[in-house]
Amino acid sequence: MLSLEQIEVLEGVLVERAEEILCHMNSQGTIDRFLKIAGLSDLFDEEAKETDNQDPSGDIVVIGASMISANAIKGICKTMGISPKRLKLYLDYEEAQKLNYRRMYCSSRYALVLFGPIGHSARGKGGYSSIITAIEGQNGYPPVIRLGTNGLKVTKTGFKKALLEALESGYIIPDGEAA
């Protein structure tokens, strides 16, 4: 058992880091256990627990070696009513390897991640076989779409198709539309 002083210290830390701790528990699948222990298991219905906090007008991250230029990617976005300012492009193999993927965790700033070819040894993959499966397998990250049909590839056709899929699924919205 903790002393009253230890409980006060713990309370301060919990208040200070509440969002970080809750996001971590949610991504690890332990939030339900926490809610049960805290007597809050009936706070949310099952449907409400599954909704995400992604902003469909947020940034679109494109990661992986590209067969098309950054300007071509921006042009495609423009034709689809999406501002190129929303794009975060990491089209270089080395850049994708060193990218801090953790920045996207529990951040509503990012609406979508589009993956082209990258190495399997990117930092932050943990016990997963690749950073792509790590992000796909954990709650708290934006939705992921893999670019290409036979293997990962960033092409004009594949990029357009992925944006259409993201628009239809509601992951992203064109600029000027309210969420």
Side-chain angles (χ1 to χ4, degrees):
M1 250 178 148
L2 297 178
S3 70
L4 184 56
E5 186 177 302
Q6 290 171 318
I7 288 183
E8 287 173 355
V9 169
L10 180 60
E11 179 183 25
V13 171
L14 289 173
V15 167
E16 186 178 305
R17 296 182 48 209
E19 183 177 1
E20 175 189 346
I21 292 167
L22 291 171
C23 279
H24 179 75
M25 284 191 292
N26 193 43
S27 73
Q28 298 301 309
T30 58
I31 194 85
D32 288 330
R33 245 187 349 233
F34 167 77
L35 291 171
K36 188 173 185 177
I37 291 167
L40 301 170
S41 56
D42 60 345
L43 191 59
F44 304 107
D45 61 19
E46 285 304 310
E47 186 177 313
K49 287 183 191 176
E50 294 301 315
T51 59
D52 61 355
N53 67 340
Q54 300 310 126
D55 179 3
S57 64
D59 292 343
I60 301 165
V61 184
V62 183
I63 303 168
S66 178
M67 299 176 78
I68 57 174
S69 70
N71 284 337
I73 290 172
K74 291 174 184 177
I76 292 168
C77 285
K78 280 183 188 177
T79 63
M80 298 181 81
I82 298 166
S83 170
K85 292 178 183 178
R86 291 174 57 189
L87 290 171
K88 303 297 175 216
L89 303 176
Y90 303 94
L91 305 178
D92 177 72
Y93 185 86
E94 293 294 321
E95 193 177 26
Q97 292 291 102
K98 296 176 182 172
L99 184 63
N100 181 4
Y101 293 91
R102 200 78 180 140
R103 284 183 307 158
M104 293 183 266
Y105 176 70
C106 281
S107 174
S108 60
R109 175 181 171 192
Y110 302 98
L112 177 67
V113 183
L114 300 172
F115 273 106
I118 63 168
H120 291 282
S121 61
R123 67 187 246 203
K125 71 174 187 159
Y128 290 88
S129 61
S130 74
I131 192 63
I132 301 172
T133 55
I135 292 174
E136 288 173 329
Q138 297 179 62
N139 290 331
Y141 281 100
V144 169
I145 296 178
R146 294 174 183 235
L147 296 168
T149 50
N150 293 334
L152 295 174
K153 240 193 279 197
V154 183
T155 63
K156 287 182 181 181
T157 303
F159 187 72
K160 286 178 191 174
K161 182 180 172 188
L163 286 181
L164 282 171
E165 179 185 331
L167 287 164
E168 289 171 4
S169 65
Y171 295 154
I172 60 173
I173 57 172
D175 290 309
E177 287 189 24

